[in-house]
Amino acid sequence: MTADKGHTNTAFVGDEGMNGKKPPQPKTIDPNMYSLEIQEKKPGLEADYDPHLHRQVEHPTSNNETLIHLLKGSLGTGILAMPNAFHHAGWTVGVVGTLLIGLLCTYCIHLLIKAEFELCKRKRVPSLNYPAVTQAALLEGPEALKPLSKIIIHIVNVFLLIYQLGTCCVYVVFVSSNIKAIADYYTEADTDVRLYMLIILLPLILINWVRNLKFLAPFSTIANFVTLVSFGIILYYIFREPISFDEREKVGTMSGFALFFGTVLFALEAIGVILPLENEMKTPKKFGGNFGVLNKAMILIVALYVGMGFFGYLNYGAAIKGSITLNLPEEEILAQCVKGMLAFAIYITHGLACYVAIDITWNDYLKKNLGDSPRSVFYEYIARTVLVLITFLLAVAIPNLELFISLFGALCLSALGIAFPALIQTCTYWHQRQGSAKLWMILKNSVIGVVAILGLLIGTSTSMIEIIHTFSDDN
């Protein structure tokens, strides 16, 4: 995953657009400063400004490239946990629930994209990242919410930080669990998974010392190829046995649905990459719309997740584990290869997953306090090491894959993927919509907000209770 940070936003001054006249002179905004430079508004002035025409992207991506990036951002460890999610919810609830959650997530992403475009027009800037969009929206909304505009950027950053660190925890548990599954079979021993976490710790730290994303790109390419091959082999194992509905629950428990909700959110949402991908497109107008890149990607993603969850659960039933790779037959070399391949693919992309957390922690907070210290690079390496150690210690404390996935999905993505987009749309158009249109917007987004809050509270509390039980059992 990447974040829309580290790229300099360029706001153009003046009313001359891309109409053959003298090109406007760019005014650079510090990318680490979220407080927007709001120009004096003139009636109708924003209508003359098209943010898409003023974006200066060195290597813009095509529609197909953006589609692939969006698929990559959503297809990871989450899809391997979908059969377990269907086990918690029941296969009927799992299918319907995944479709509805996918529809809700897609709709909320559309709200975010449209609000960003509208706010960019008003502020006359080419693009905004997530924290800046949230801040700008609150400044445009009701007077009661404007005082929150300064703190909201930190709230968004905290959720992004927790989510990215949570993803890294999932990676550590996933890699260690799959290595353990292979090693235990061939050594005929039951080694504690924490030992394998300790073994991979030092290389993880070294991977996260890479400061330039350019050097991590080859690892991502290798990982994508390995992941694609591995998914194909997993599907082979799923479909080689007859599918049976015997002893497969149609409807699960309420607590099971809470775990399901968090897992699906974690798996489906790629909210951290949405704005960066749209901002880097050659034709950003093609991102939204009924037949845009976003809808095409989400249809494919939801279909893949429903298929993996449904058929994976029907195949393994109540025996399904936190990752379907752990259910593959131990005695077959091909199955062991899949576990090793996916462990390797996730392992080498840990630096990409942790990059956003490092970027937020270092560039947005720590670096500002250090100023121009000659030892700033050394302190940056310390910060990178500490963040990796945090994810490592969390994984060691509760090495349970499905509970980690459900917890961070419910806690962070209920807010980032559902609640905040609804709040952003409401504030953005607070003074523009009147009468029944405004009333409908408020009611609709209030319902979305309630769903998000309930998902956050119930999903997080259920996951925490399960984690406490697991921790107690381990002790």
Side-chain angles (χ1 to χ4, degrees), residues 48-249:
D48 299 328
Y49 185 87
D50 187 343
H52 294 160
L53 298 179
H54 291 78
R55 290 179 183 171
Q56 295 179 334
V57 181
E58 186 176 355
H59 300 291
T61 55
S62 66
N63 294 346
N64 288 334
E65 288 171 336
T66 304
L67 177 64
I68 292 171
H69 286 316
L70 191 50
L71 289 172
K72 287 193 299 184
S74 298
L75 297 177
T77 53
I79 191 172
L80 301 174
M82 284 302 295
N84 184 265
F86 272 57
H87 165 58
H88 288 304
W91 61 265
T92 302
V93 175
V95 171
V96 176
T98 304
L99 292 174
L100 291 177
I101 294 171
L103 184 65
L104 177 61
C105 291
T106 305
Y107 177 74
C108 289
I109 292 172
H110 278 290
L111 296 184
L112 179 64
I113 292 296
K114 291 176 181 177
E116 186 228 8
F117 181 77
E118 177 65 24
L119 292 168
C120 285
K121 286 177 63 177
R122 296 181 195 174
K123 310 308 175 189
R124 302 182 67 79
V125 294
S127 63
L128 295 168
N129 57 25
Y130 202 144
V133 168
T134 314
Q135 183 190 48
L138 289 185
L139 290 171
E140 296 281 314
E143 292 295 326
L145 294 180
K146 289 184 179 180
L148 298 176
S149 62
K150 290 185 178 180
I151 194 174
I152 195 68
I153 55 177
H154 303 297
I155 295 174
V156 172
N157 273 340
V158 166
F159 275 114
L160 285 171
L161 186 61
I162 293 174
Y163 171 58
Q164 292 301 145
L165 290 178
T167 301
C168 293
C169 290
V170 170
Y171 280 17
V172 172
V173 177
F174 178 86
V175 172
S176 304
S177 299
N178 281 277
I179 293 176
K180 169 183 164 59
I182 299 171
D184 284 0
Y185 176 73
Y186 289 106
T187 61
E188 298 182 355
D190 186 14
T191 307
D192 194 324
V193 69
R194 294 173 178 87
L195 177 62
Y196 296 103
M197 293 180 185
L198 186 62
I199 291 171
I200 67 174
L201 175 59
L202 180 58
L204 276 184
I205 292 174
L206 295 178
I207 288 174
N208 283 278
W209 277 5
V210 178
R211 300 173 66 216
N212 194 325
L213 269 181
K214 179 181 178 181
F215 299 118
L216 293 174
F219 295 108
S220 180
T221 303
I222 296 170
N224 291 333
F225 174 76
V226 171
T227 302
L228 184 64
V229 173
S230 301
F231 281 176
I233 298 173
I234 290 171
L235 291 176
Y236 158 73
Y237 277 107
I238 288 177
F239 290 110
R240 79 171 182 175
E241 301 293 337
I243 297 299
S244 173
F245 287 87
D246 294 340
E247 299 181 5
R248 306 298 188 260
E249 298 291 338

Side-chain angles (χ1 to χ4, degrees), residues 11 106 145 150 186 203 214 257 281 305 363 382 400 440:
T106 305
L145 294 180
K150 290 185 178 180
Y186 289 106
K214 179 181 178 181
F257 182 79
M281 284 184 70
Y305 276 65
N363 289 323
I382 294 295
N400 190 305
W440 165 247

